[in-house]
């Protein structure tokens, strides 16, 4: 009994093995490969079978950069199965660039069907298959073979190994054509050279001619770094340039300016920009003047005070702004100290006040230093004379100090106006222009320059952003010209 | 001519001459792209990679390990890695590409790909279509949805390396200490609010979420029966249930009588949880390491069901993948690196060390991944989610939606009116 059991098992196994039909994969009789495809990294492989494929046949496509005699030395590219195709779909031609077609010998090539995981399935009776192989090395010889297997996934021998080289080259975008840029810069530079030459020629003295020569390098740098970008911005403002199709822009006349001036938020953002600028400049000058005056006399520890007061200016502004942002958070220091519950950065008016406070903090030390310097230049004896004459301190400030400071304050206030008008990082880092209560318009704390950033880099409308920039430029130009005319701001330096 | 004049001339020439040398005919440069030196004939190839992982984070560490492994296996390829903040990375890439200075490789999220994929410079796209570069076997590494999320207009613009979504994250110790039943997969929104209410006292809040974050609100919109886009791709911000979703969402704010601290931003939510001041938050797996390092007993549960709609709160699932610049001079090598960075080996390492959700089919079914409660929890949550559409329209959603949330929050518009206006604005922007 104990000896009989193994015999029965052996007999059963023999019966099972005999019951399994002996199936061999249909042999591959011919393989051809061509790398002349127009597609990059693509090789076309065709193989013919010794007879019609039967259900269960499969063909592994193997490849390698070096010759191989057995499949373990090659990489599997993909597999084509033979089976029923009725429930399967044929893919769209070119869907993945790895199209396969099969033929039953009637001369027609039919797109293969695809299984759930994308594997190719051909019907029984197929005698030839061709596939576009993706992912082939470009410009290098590749060795390819078919490794067929039968319905029991028992692999047969490899077919002959053929070679091909994918010849299509990578299509690279052209280098940016910089000729118009250089032509424009060259033209500006040449014009300046001619201008200087003419002026130098007209100049009668050798000293005057030398002056022209000294000015030349600075003018060239200005041409390169300022005149050209401004000019390009003006040109861009008359085009429909946008991020989706850069380099294909065309002139669209005044459309961008119509959009700017017709924008529902134009007056609001302009109004807040002016409020932001005026409040900041007045505060900078006022606080700077007050502190400079306070530190003017014999104050103990003057140097230490000055150093401390310079800190807001000396620390990188983005660090200062981020600290302030933390202070103004709902659960930040501000509400904590005052015991209030104001969502400062989440509400329009408190957020506007917060960004202004932060910019005042950042700006007053510079004014203080400039005014301190100017105060040093006022001779002390005029104050002594005033005191002898019985002039009060307030009158001394009003009639002596302020007029003497004017040559310093007026140009530096103009500079402050331009800087503040174009101050980007405080608002960008504090509120990012928000809270944004309007659809497609500037946020509550956006100023012109931060909104231009949104238009250019978030919405990608370069032409419209250039038009906004030209408007800003014209506003500043008009203001500067008027201010200088009224105050003789640059009188001291001209 | 004196020495001063000579010096002035020399200075002027120093400025002008380099410009003239560079002028050329515009075709003499080193070709497009910032890929570095030319290659061929055994020369060293340099691949420029922009990483968007937070510097010195666990993800950054694993990423740099993967780069080092590739580097060691490819002595002819040098890799120049630099970090870019995730939120600004797409803009930086676009600007660089428009100037012909794009990196060879960069990681994009599926909701960014639609916009970048639609861009053209001189008629050329910014990203390489990777379909011709992959064999079917390489393609089959990734699950079908992940691969589909990397396609724009048919082009495959990235190899999916990870995906993520938000879920309900809670401090198990707070629940245990207060004897409140912790969240479970069958929780309803009402049950969640009741638990949050029971856990709100003193400095502790039951629930902390950034209510002005449109990304998190989108999950809520789904839960109330709304949807972001209709099946035909038309925006439906104001679809059925959306207004109710926005009203219920903003009602959570303390200033509206809710329990979420007013002004909670993403940073404050993280701080609340890290400081053990919040019992529950809605966040993704990307911050799990941060919370674990704070020695918090972190746990996760799927977002709850909404009783009124019978729908589950359904987060947007975003895929992230490696793209190759169209301008790259070394595309084959760049694709090889992209394949490595999104390979099952690297994905598994990311999954086990940083709880990054894998897109490789073999890693998703790996026993180590399945046995990890965090990974399996988030994989389960993602099954209730919806994939972020990889379209240009998707990248345009955020501004109008943020404005709508602000309007309702400020009490200036009803939710219905605000969402209707946001949808109208979105339609106008899509039409250009």
């Amino acid at each position: 009994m104990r000896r009989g059991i193994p015999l029965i098992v052996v007999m059963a196994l023999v019966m099972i093995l005999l019951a399994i039909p002996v199936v061999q994969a249909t042999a591959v009789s011919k393989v051809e490969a061509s790398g002349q495809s127009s597609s990059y990294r693509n090789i076309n492989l065709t193989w013919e079978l010794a007879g019609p494929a039967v259900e269960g046949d499969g063909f592994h496509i193997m490849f390698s950069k070096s010759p191989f005699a057995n499949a373990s030395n090659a990489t599997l590219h993909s597999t084509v199965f033979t089976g029923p195709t009725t429930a399967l779909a044929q893919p769209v031609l070119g869907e993945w660039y790895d199209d396969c077609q099969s033929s039953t010998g009637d001369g027609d090539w039919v797109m293969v069907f695809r299984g759930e995981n994308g594997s190719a399935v051909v019907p029984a009776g197929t005698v030839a298959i061709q596939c576009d192989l993706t992912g082939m090395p470009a410009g290098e010889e590749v060795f390819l073979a078919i490794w067929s297997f039968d319905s029991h996934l028992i692999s047969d021998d490899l077919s002959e190994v053929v070679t091909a080289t994918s010849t299509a080259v990578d299509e690279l975008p052209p280098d940016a054509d910089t000729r118009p840029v250089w032509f424009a810069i060259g033209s500006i530079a040449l014009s300046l050279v001619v201008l200087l030459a003419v002026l130098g020629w007209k100049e009668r003295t050798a000293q005057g001619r030398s002056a022209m020569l000294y000015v030349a390098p600075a003018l060239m740098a200005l041409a390169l770094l300022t005149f050209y970008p401004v000019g390009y911005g003006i040109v861009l403002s008359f085009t429909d340039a946008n991020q989706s199709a850069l380099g294909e822009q065309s002139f669209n006349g005044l459309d961008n300016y119509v959009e700017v001036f017709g924008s529902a938020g134009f007056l609001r953002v302009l109004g807040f920009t002016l409020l932001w600028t005026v409040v900041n400049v007045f505060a900078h000058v006022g606080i700077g003047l007050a502190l400079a005056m306070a530190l003017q006399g014999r104050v103990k520890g003057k140097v230490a005070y000055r150093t401390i007061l310079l800190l807001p200016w000396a620390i990188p502004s983005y660090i200062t702004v981020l600290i302030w942002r933390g202070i103004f958070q709902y659960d930040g220091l501000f509400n904590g100290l005052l015991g209030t519950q104001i969502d400062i950065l989440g509400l329009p008016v408190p957020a506007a006040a917060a960004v202004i406070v932060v910019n005042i903090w950042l700006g007053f030390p510079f004014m203080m230093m400039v005014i301190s310097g100017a105060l040093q230049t006022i001779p002390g004896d005029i104050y002594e004379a005033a005191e002898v004459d019985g002039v009060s301190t307030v009158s001394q400030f009003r009639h002596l100090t302020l007029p003497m400071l004017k040559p310093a304050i007026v140009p530096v206030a103009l500079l402050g106006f331009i800087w503040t008008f174009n101050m980007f990082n405080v608002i960008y880092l504090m509120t990012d222009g928000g809270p944004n209560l309007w659809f497609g318009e500037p946020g509550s704390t956006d100023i012109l320059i931060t909104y231009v950033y949104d238009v250019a880099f978030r919405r990608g409308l370069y032409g419209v952003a250039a038009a906004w920039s030209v408007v800003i430029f014209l506003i500043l130009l008009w203001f500067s010209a008027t201010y200088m005319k009224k105050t003789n701001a640059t009188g001291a330096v001209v | 001519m004196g020495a001063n004049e000579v010096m002035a001339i020399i200075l002027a020439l120093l400025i002008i001459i380099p410009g003239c040398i560079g002028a050329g005919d515009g075709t003499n440069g080193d070709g497009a792209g910032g890929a570095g030196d030319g290659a061929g004939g055994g020369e060293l190839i340099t691949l420029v990679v922009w990483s968007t992982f937070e510097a010195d984070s666990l993800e950054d560490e694993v990423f740099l390990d993967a780069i080092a492994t590739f580097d060691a296996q490819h002595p002819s390829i040098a890799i120049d890695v630099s970090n870019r903040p995730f939120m600004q990375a797409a803009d930086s890439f676009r600007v660089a590409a428009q100037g012909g200075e794009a990196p060879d490789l960069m990681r994009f999220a599926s909701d960014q790909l639609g916009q970048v994929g639609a861009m053209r410079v001189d008629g050329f796209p910014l990203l390489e279509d990777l379909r011709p570069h992959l064999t079917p076997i390489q393609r089959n590494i990734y699950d079908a949805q992940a691969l589909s999320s990397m396609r724009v207009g048919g082009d495959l613009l990235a190899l999916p390396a990870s995906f993520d979504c938000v879920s309900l994250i809670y401090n198990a110790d707070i629940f245990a200490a207060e004897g409140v039943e912790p969240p479970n997969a069958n929780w309803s929104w009402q049950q969640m609010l009741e638990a949050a209410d029971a856990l709100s006292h003193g400095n502790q809040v039951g629930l902390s979420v950034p209510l002005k974050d449109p990304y998190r609100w989108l999950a809520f919109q789904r839960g109330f029966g709304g949807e972001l886009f209709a099946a035909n791709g038309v925006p439906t911000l104001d679809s059925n249930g959306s207004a109710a979703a926005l009203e219920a969402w903003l009602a959570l704010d303390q200033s509206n009588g809710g329990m979420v601290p007013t002004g909670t931003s993403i940073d404050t939510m993280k701080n609340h949880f890290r400081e053990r001041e919040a019992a529950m938050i809605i966040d993704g797996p990307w911050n799990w390491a941060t919370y674990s390092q704070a020695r918090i007993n972190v746990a996760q549960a799927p977002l709850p069901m909404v009783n009124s709609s019978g729908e589950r709160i359904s987060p947007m699932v975003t895929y992230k993948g490696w793209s190759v610049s169209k301008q790259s001079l070394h595309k084959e090598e760049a694709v090889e690196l992209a394949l490595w960075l999104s390979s099952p080996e690297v994905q598994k390492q990311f999954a086990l060390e940083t709880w990054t959700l894998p897109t490789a089919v073999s890693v998703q079914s790996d026993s180590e991944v399945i046995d990890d409660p965090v990974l399996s929890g988030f994989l389960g949550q993602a099954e209730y989610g919806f994939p972020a559409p990889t379209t240009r329209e998707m990248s345009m959603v955020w501004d109008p939606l943020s404005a709508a949330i602000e309007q309702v929050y400020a009490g200036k518009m009803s939710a219905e009116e605000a969402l209707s206006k946001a949808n109208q604005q979105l339609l106008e922007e899509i039409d250009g």
Side-chain angles (χ1 to χ4, degrees):
Chain A
M1 188 72 181
R2 289 175 75 183
R3 282 184 185 175
I5 293 170
L7 186 65
I8 289 169
V9 172
V10 170
M11 288 291 283
L13 281 172
V14 169
M15 294 291 282
I16 290 166
L17 284 171
L18 285 173
I20 296 171
V22 176
V23 181
Q24 274 200 318
T26 308
V28 174
S29 60
K30 188 179 174 188
V31 184
E32 280 178 359
S34 165
Q36 304 300 314
S37 161
S38 59
S39 297
Y40 182 50
R41 300 191 67 178
N42 201 300
I43 284 176
N44 182 271
L45 186 72
T46 306
W47 67 97
E48 293 174 11
L49 306 176
V54 295
E55 213 165 279
D57 280 350
F59 309 95
H60 288 314
I61 301 169
M62 310 300 297
F63 74 101
S64 172
K65 284 185 185 177
S66 31
F68 58 95
N70 79 49
S72 59
N73 293 329
T75 306
L76 176 64
H77 177 276
S78 53
T79 304
V80 178
F81 295 93
T82 309
T85 56
T86 43
L88 304 177
Q90 283 174 301
V92 178
L93 186 70
E95 171 76 4
W96 288 100
Y97 293 110
D98 61 347
D99 303 312
C100 282
Q101 293 170 306
S102 66
S103 169
T104 50
D106 56 2
D108 287 339
W109 288 94
V110 180
M111 280 287 278
V112 297
F113 292 79
R114 295 281 176 179
E116 265 184 26
N117 64 351
S119 49
V121 182
V122 295
T126 295
V127 296
I129 302 165
Q130 60 169 327
C131 285
D132 288 330
L133 309 184
T134 49
M136 296 289 105
E140 272 184 78
E141 192 176 42
V142 183
F143 296 81
L144 298 134
I146 301 298
W147 189 25
S148 45
F149 57 89
D150 61 24
S151 56
H152 304 292
L153 302 176
I154 298 168
S155 295
D156 205 341
D157 290 335
L158 269 184
S159 70
E160 61 172 317
V161 177
V162 294
T163 62
T165 303
S166 175
T167 53
V169 292
D170 180 24
E171 188 187 22
L172 283 167
D175 284 354
D177 184 1
T178 53
R179 281 174 296 181
V181 176
W182 289 109
F183 179 76
I185 291 172
S187 304
I188 295 170
L190 195 66
S191 309
L192 290 172
V193 169
V194 171
L195 179 70
L196 288 172
V198 171
L199 290 174
W201 177 70
K202 278 189 165 182
E203 196 62 51
R204 291 175 187 281
T205 61
Q207 198 182 7
R209 280 196 288 274
S210 300
M212 298 296 166
L213 215 53
Y214 295 140
V215 169
L219 272 178
M220 293 301 160
L222 271 176
L224 192 72
L225 301 171
T226 306
F227 299 162
Y228 172 72
V230 168
Y232 183 71
I234 292 170
V235 172
L236 203 64
S237 72
F238 294 102
T239 71
D240 60 358
N242 67 75
Q243 66 179 14
S244 299
L246 197 69
E248 296 165 50
Q249 61 264 32
S250 53
F251 280 90
N252 64 354
L254 293 170
D255 285 3
N256 296 333
Y257 289 93
V258 170
E259 186 168 339
V260 168
F261 291 114
S263 158
F266 176 74
L267 287 177
R268 183 168 52 77
V269 73
L270 181 65
F272 182 65
T273 308
L274 291 175
L275 177 77
W276 151 269
T277 310
V278 170
V279 172
N280 269 302
V281 173
F282 269 96
H284 289 161
V285 174
I287 296 171
L289 179 63
L291 289 171
M293 292 294 294
L295 293 173
Q296 173 63 8
R298 287 183 183 169
V299 181
K300 209 173 179 183
K302 189 194 286 189
V303 177
Y305 285 130
R306 274 202 181 135
T307 309
I308 291 166
L309 287 168
L310 260 181
L311 280 178
W313 197 51
I315 295 172
S317 63
Y318 76 94
I319 292 176
T320 309
V321 175
L322 292 179
I323 292 170
W324 275 103
R325 195 176 73 174
I327 291 171
F328 286 133
Q329 294 279 4
Y330 186 78
D331 53 357
L333 192 65
F334 183 87
N335 277 332
L337 283 178
L338 299 184
T340 51
Q341 289 184 320
I342 307 167
D343 186 8
I344 298 163
L345 300 178
L347 298 167
V349 175
V355 291
I356 289 173
V357 165
V358 174
N359 200 51
I360 290 171
W361 173 264
L362 285 169
F364 76 81
F366 173 73
M367 291 295 177
M368 183 194 78
M369 289 309 291
V370 170
I371 295 168
S372 287
L375 281 172
Q376 307 295 324
T377 64
I378 302 175
D381 50 5
I382 61 169
Y383 290 104
E384 285 166 18
E387 268 171 30
V388 168
D389 290 344
V391 179
S392 70
T393 312
V394 174
S395 290
Q396 281 180 32
F397 175 74
R398 199 172 150 201
H399 298 291
L400 289 177
T401 310
L402 273 186
M404 300 289 272
L405 286 177
K406 191 188 162 196
I409 289 178
V410 168
V412 93
L414 174 63
L415 204 61
F417 185 93
I418 294 168
W419 281 347
T420 310
F421 199 91
N422 283 330
M423 172 58 75
F424 176 81
N425 56 355
V426 171
I427 289 170
Y428 180 73
L429 291 171
M430 279 282 285
T431 60
D432 195 14
N436 187 9
L437 287 166
W438 293 271
F439 298 98
E441 290 182 28
S444 307
T445 57
D446 261 323
I447 57 171
L448 284 166
I449 199 76
T450 55
Y451 185 57
V452 171
Y453 177 85
D454 286 352
V455 173
F457 298 111
R458 290 193 176 141
R459 294 170 62 196
L461 304 174
Y462 296 153
V464 180
W468 277 96
S469 303
V470 170
V471 170
I472 294 174
F473 172 69
L474 291 176
I475 291 171
L476 286 175
L477 194 67
W478 169 81
F479 174 80
S480 304
T482 310
Y483 182 84
M484 284 195 288
K485 201 172 165 187
K486 299 263 184 205
T487 62
N488 194 21
T490 51
V493 287
V494 175
Chain B
M1 190 180 281
N4 287 342
E5 283 85 346
V6 173
M7 279 302 290
I9 290 170
I10 291 170
L11 277 173
L13 288 175
L14 279 174
I15 290 170
I16 295 165
I17 288 171
C20 296
I21 292 168
D25 62 1
T27 57
N28 293 339
D30 60 351
D37 308 317
E43 283 177 32
L44 187 70
I45 288 170
T46 301
L47 293 178
V48 178
V49 182
W50 282 5
S51 151
T52 51
F53 297 110
E54 197 178 320
D56 301 326
S57 62
L58 267 179
E59 283 101 336
D60 197 39
E61 220 171 274
V62 176
F63 164 70
L64 292 175
D65 276 353
I67 290 284
T69 307
F70 184 88
D71 213 12
Q73 290 167 354
H74 298 80
S76 61
I77 301 175
I79 303 170
D80 174 7
V81 178
S82 57
N83 283 77
R84 292 288 184 284
F86 178 73
M87 297 303 281
Q88 279 94 49
D91 276 345
S92 304
F93 180 87
R94 179 170 47 75
V95 172
Q98 287 171 346
E101 297 291 333
D104 294 276
L105 243 77
M106 185 170 148
R107 198 175 69 121
F108 280 105
S110 51
D111 58 336
Q112 297 170 324
L113 273 181
Q115 189 189 25
V116 179
M119 290 174 190
R120 297 287 181 274
V121 177
D122 294 324
F124 278 80
L126 307 190
L127 298 177
E128 176 76 355
D129 177 8
L130 298 174
R131 288 178 298 169
H133 295 270
L134 304 184
T135 68
I137 293 288
Q138 288 168 331
R139 224 164 50 214
N140 287 341
I141 291 172
Y142 313 104
D143 82 43
Q145 181 56 59
L147 209 57
S148 163
S149 288
M150 299 283 107
R151 297 186 72 180
V152 178
D155 291 358
L156 178 68
L157 297 185
L159 299 182
S162 67
F163 72 102
D164 48 53
C165 62
V166 292
S167 189
L168 185 66
I169 293 178
Y170 62 96
N171 183 329
D173 288 344
I174 293 181
F175 278 85
E178 308 224 4
V180 176
E181 191 194 341
N184 62 65
N186 300 318
W187 249 22
S188 69
W189 178 245
Q190 194 53 41
Q191 281 175 298
M192 193 188 95
L193 293 185
E194 282 165 12
D197 195 33
L199 295 168
S200 296
H201 48 74
N203 280 338
Q204 180 179 293
V205 291
L207 177 69
S208 177
V209 277
L211 294 174
K212 288 187 181 177
D213 176 24
Y215 169 67
R216 283 170 174 76
W217 177 75
L218 286 177
F220 219 66
Q221 185 199 25
R222 283 262 169 163
F224 276 75
E227 59 183 348
L228 185 52
F229 291 100
N232 60 0
V234 175
T236 50
L237 287 176
D238 54 352
S239 54
N240 288 342
S242 302
L246 188 51
E247 278 163 8
W249 180 247
L250 293 180
L252 292 173
D253 193 280
Q254 267 176 359
S255 59
N256 289 331
M259 65 197 69
V260 174
T262 301
T264 298
S265 63
I266 292 173
D267 285 340
T268 44
M269 174 193 74
K270 281 166 67 179
N271 287 339
H272 285 148
F273 199 68
R274 217 167 24 202
E275 302 295 326
R276 295 170 172 78
E277 289 173 356
M280 290 180 281
I281 57 170
I282 296 177
D283 207 357
W286 54 85
N287 283 324
W288 197 277
T290 310
Y291 304 138
S292 295
Q293 281 164 357
R295 297 174 185 277
I296 291 168
N297 187 5
V298 201
Q300 174 270 341
L303 291 165
M305 307 276 293
V306 177
N307 291 341
S308 58
S309 66
E311 302 273 349
R312 187 178 282 279
I313 296 173
S314 164
M316 188 162 83
V317 179
T318 312
Y319 291 82
K320 293 191 178 76
W322 288 98
S323 298
V324 172
S325 164
K326 184 76 186 165
Q327 299 168 354
S328 172
L329 297 176
H330 313 296
K331 292 213 178 73
E332 283 190 57
E333 292 79 6
V335 170
E336 202 178 340
L337 179 55
L339 273 165
W340 167 247
L341 292 173
S342 52
S343 66
E345 295 95 307
V346 174
Q347 285 200 29
K348 187 173 172 183
Q349 203 181 349
F350 263 103
L352 297 178
E353 293 185 28
T354 69
W355 296 288
T356 300
L357 305 183
T359 58
V361 179
S362 62
V363 185
Q364 286 175 353
S365 55
D366 187 285
S367 59
E368 283 185 82
V369 170
I370 291 170
D371 291 345
D372 185 298
V374 182
L375 290 169
S376 58
F378 274 97
L379 285 169
Q381 176 68 77
E383 281 176 22
Y384 297 124
F386 69 99
T390 317
T391 57
R392 173 177 157 264
E393 288 77 6
M394 182 63 227
S395 62
M396 297 174 161
V397 163
W398 308 117
D399 281 349
L401 192 50
S402 298
I405 293 173
E406 289 284 2
Q407 284 282 1
V408 182
Y409 179 81
K412 290 181 182 292
M413 277 187 189
S414 68
E416 202 171 346
E417 194 187 354
L419 287 170
S420 171
K421 278 199 178 281
N423 205 56
Q424 195 184 332
Q425 172 67 27
L426 182 55
L427 283 167
E428 282 171 18
E429 289 196 6
I430 289 168
D431 290 341

